[in-house]
Amino acid sequence: MKAFVFHGPGQSAWEEVPDPAVKEPTDAVVRVDAVTICGTDLHILKGDVPEVQPGTVLGHEAVGEIVEVGSDVRTVRPGDRVLLSCISSCGRCSYCREGMYGQCRGGGGWILGHLIDGTQAEYVRVPFADLSVHALPSTVDSKDAVLLADIFPTSYEVGVLNGRVRPGDTVAVVGAGPIGLAAITTARLFAPERIVAVDLAPARLEAARALGADAVADAREAPEQLIADLTDGLGADVVMEAVGVPETFELCTRMVRPGGHVANIGVHGRPVTLHLEDLWIKNVTITTGLVDTHSTPTLLRMAAAGRLPTAQLVTHTFPLDHMAEAYEVFARAADTGALKVVLGGEQHEVAVRGT
């Protein structure tokens, strides 16, 4: 088969690799219909994730069809259309029993495209299939469903839930890329008083407004002053970091109010200064997190009901074998206007609501 293979920082190629096969009785092999590219994949290509070994097939998000299952798989069978979660779960270790699947110690966690071959391929082996894939309703198209593999559960769990967004809050989201935009849409479910989006790119700020931000701010123009003006000088109740660079994290800590919450979502490849000389007295909570995907079934139901604007985040589509071109477009988002790029995306018949 063909797959997109990492060969070291700055080196990758769409090339022929061996077909995957069932190795464990809990495995499934999936024919990939649609995949997307994550900002984390860009971090890998930059060398920010040294655990990824040269020769690894990248990708941890996909929709596809089961073609083979191991003898212990019970919940899916060949022919089933499924969403592949970015997180795999053994279901047995202490973390999985607590619903913290991202911290799985039984061979799961974030392994696809990280520790084992991933989804940016024609076929992929999925460990722990019973707990790591989700059957897809026919009402959800592949190119929309693939956004539920990572960015929506990540934004919802690591940003909104960890940040403890409540009705009436002022919420600031720093970074209006796909993760930040998904955070804006899911934060709105909790009826905050206002959501403020911060970014450098005018197109992304426009997208943030379209998806529910009440105000936007250019990151170069003292957004902390806007937050202060909107909150009588207090600061935001919840600030979400959705970029992953030192400057944006430090900006978040300047924007949060005393007693507020900074929820870090971004993937950081460099050290960040934590200004405890300013923060120690402010009762600020800072959380980090790798998504657990415990919310995926809920988000899938909401998507099937038309309650999540997944389609609005997809700006570019490509055939599956145009992987290098798609990476180029996604990496140059400031120039191309890319939010999420989807490759493949076989169309399925969608039922019309109300008929």
Side-chain angles (χ1 to χ4, degrees):
M1 70 169 185
K2 291 291 187 68
F4 193 68
V5 181
F6 173 71
H7 290 294
Q11 302 176 60
S12 56
W14 178 256
E15 61 189 47
E16 191 169 293
V17 299
D19 292 341
V22 167
K23 294 182 178 179
E24 302 291 339
T26 52
D27 288 350
V29 174
V30 175
R31 177 179 59 79
V32 172
D33 287 340
V35 297
T36 184
I37 300 170
C38 181
T40 304
D41 297 321
L42 299 182
H43 281 281
I44 291 171
L45 288 178
K46 291 177 183 176
D48 290 344
V49 189
E51 299 86 3
V52 181
Q53 295 299 305
T56 301
V57 176
L58 295 185
H60 50 267
E61 306 158 273
V63 168
E65 181 180 309
I66 301 285
V67 296
E68 185 181 1
V69 295
S71 59
D72 288 351
V73 175
R74 297 290 182 265
T75 61
V76 291
R77 60 185 180 181
D80 286 350
R81 179 171 166 257
V82 294
L83 169 70
L84 279 63
S85 175
C86 65
I87 298 296
S88 303
S89 167
C90 79
R92 300 184 301 270
C93 71
S94 59
Y95 282 113
C96 286
R97 287 176 178 270
E98 294 176 9
M100 296 175 64
Y101 309 128
Q103 305 301 323
C104 175
R105 291 297 181 266
W110 174 34
I111 54 175
L112 290 171
H114 180 209
L115 304 180
I116 67 172
D117 286 338
T119 60
Q120 290 171 3
E122 294 175 324
Y123 293 85
V124 58
R125 179 180 73 91
V126 183
F128 310 116
D130 279 331
L131 294 169
S132 304
V133 303
H134 302 269
L136 278 176
S138 61
T139 51
V140 182
D141 191 76
S142 295
K143 70 178 186 302
D144 300 328
V146 74
L147 302 193
L148 301 177
D150 185 352
I151 68 163
F152 270 91
T154 293
S155 300
Y156 182 59
E157 295 175 19
V158 184
V160 176
L161 296 184
N162 280 3
R164 299 182 181 178
V165 175
R166 297 176 298 180
D169 277 354
T170 292
V171 177
V173 179
V174 178
I179 288 287
L181 294 174
I184 289 168
T185 63
T186 51
R188 284 173 55 82
L189 301 172
F190 291 82
E193 180 181 359
R194 62 176 67 89
I195 300 174
V196 181
V198 180
D199 204 282
L200 294 170
R204 291 194 166 190
L205 293 177
E206 289 178 17
R209 277 197 185 277
L211 288 165
D214 301 285
V216 299
D218 189 312
R220 294 161 292 204
E221 297 178 1
E224 57 265 52
Q225 185 59 53
L226 172 62
I227 295 294
D229 292 343
L230 291 171
T231 59
D232 295 325
L234 281 178
D237 300 278
V238 181
V239 186
M240 302 183 206
E241 200 285 339
V243 181
V245 298
E247 294 81 5
T248 51
F249 179 83
E250 292 178 29
L251 173 61
C252 290
T253 64
R254 296 196 300 270
M255 296 170 66
V256 68
R257 69 166 174 83
H261 199 125
V262 175
N264 184 88
I265 315 173
V267 176
H268 289 267
R270 290 182 286 154
V272 176
T273 300
L274 180 63
H275 288 284
L276 283 178
E277 73 277 11
D278 298 322
L279 295 172
W280 73 271
I281 202 171
K282 294 184 177 179
N283 292 29
V284 170
T285 299
I286 298 174
T287 55
T288 65
L290 174 66
V291 65
D292 293 311
T293 67
H294 60 74
S295 68
T296 302
T298 298
L299 295 171
L300 266 174
R301 290 196 300 273
M302 294 182 67
R307 299 294 301 275
L308 289 179
T310 51
Q312 291 177 248
L313 273 70
V314 179
T315 55
H316 295 73
T317 58
F318 300 87
L320 187 61
D321 59 357
H322 286 216
M323 194 69 67
E325 180 185 355
Y327 261 90
E328 177 70 14
V329 168
F330 187 60
R332 297 192 303 107
D335 300 321
T336 64
L339 293 175
K340 287 300 282 185
V341 302
V342 173
L343 298 98
E346 179 180 342
Q347 300 296 305
H348 294 261
E349 185 174 342
V350 177
V352 178
R353 295 185 187 88
T355 62

